[in-house]
Amino acid sequence: MEFLDYLWAYFIVFVFAAIPFFEAFGVITLGILAGLPAVPVILVSLVGNILTVLLLIVFINKFKEWRRKRKGEEAEKQQSKRAVRAQNLWNKFGMPGLAFIGPLFVGSHLTAFMCVTLGGQKKRTSIWMVSSITVWGIVFALLTHFGVDFLGYEDRGVLKDLIQVD
């Protein structure tokens, strides 16, 4: 691949990692399976995911205001199943538990939103969410790396033929 192809690939990795529900650990896995070098994929994915989560935490009040206007006051009072599960995790394990378990089930953006909504301070939420995203990203990178090596795809990406530009 040429330099511009790599640049374009890493831009796509960054954008997908920044989009809610396309978590960094999922994008890291896809990037490694596509044959991109693991370390840059990990770094770019983590930066993309962490940046948007931190922006959400910083601007949470503006986001709540926008959501309230969009959904209406009565929708704000109704709790979804996800909100009930998050509240139960919060009651049982506190912010660390929700921050580490939440991204696997509902995504890091929604988890950060729930942490702040349930009473967490922005600074503590930021620290726990950055830790969680980083740990899960590294765990999934290691699992993907060793799984790919175990299957014999060490030097070629599983998805490389699909994204290769001629």
Side-chain angles (χ1 to χ4, degrees), residues 148-160:
V148 169
D149 282 349
F150 177 71
L151 296 172
Y153 291 112
E154 184 176 316
D155 293 327
R156 63 184 176 123
V158 175
L159 304 173
K160 198 175 221 174

Side-chain angles (χ1 to χ4, degrees), residues 115-130:
C115 283
V116 174
T117 302
L118 293 172
Q121 298 171 343
K122 289 181 180 183
K123 185 176 181 178
R124 284 192 67 225
T125 300
S126 299
I127 292 168
W128 281 109
M129 290 307 302
V130 167

Side-chain angles (χ1 to χ4, degrees), residues 17-141:
I19 297 173
F21 305 111
F22 278 101
E23 300 304 313
F25 56 83
V27 176
I28 288 170
T29 300
L30 289 175
I32 292 172
L33 289 176
L36 294 171
V39 173
V41 167
I42 294 167
L43 294 175
V44 170
S45 294
L46 290 177
V47 168
N49 197 194
I50 289 170
L51 180 67
T52 54
V53 167
L54 291 177
L55 285 173
L56 175 70
I57 292 169
V58 168
F59 295 109
I60 193 85
N61 295 332
K62 298 274 186 201
F63 181 77
K64 283 183 185 179
E65 214 174 278
W66 170 79
R67 187 169 179 252
R68 192 174 305 115
K69 286 179 185 175
R70 186 171 164 250
K71 295 210 177 212
E73 291 293 329
E74 65 280 348
E76 189 75 20
K77 294 176 184 173
Q78 297 174 349
Q79 281 195 327
S80 68
K81 288 182 182 180
R82 287 181 177 174
V84 172
R85 283 189 208 132
Q87 181 70 51
N88 292 338
L89 281 172
W90 182 270
N91 293 338
K92 193 169 186 175
F93 301 110
M95 186 182 300
L98 182 57
F100 273 91
I101 296 170
L104 296 175
F105 297 103
V106 296
S108 56
H109 298 84
L110 187 56
T111 300
F113 180 78
M114 295 305 262
C115 283
V116 174
T117 302
L118 293 172
Q121 298 171 343
K122 289 181 180 183
K123 185 176 181 178
R124 284 192 67 225
T125 300
S126 299
I127 292 168
W128 281 109
M129 290 307 302
V130 167
S131 302
S132 170
I133 293 167
T134 304
V135 166
W136 284 121
I138 292 170
V139 165
F140 275 79

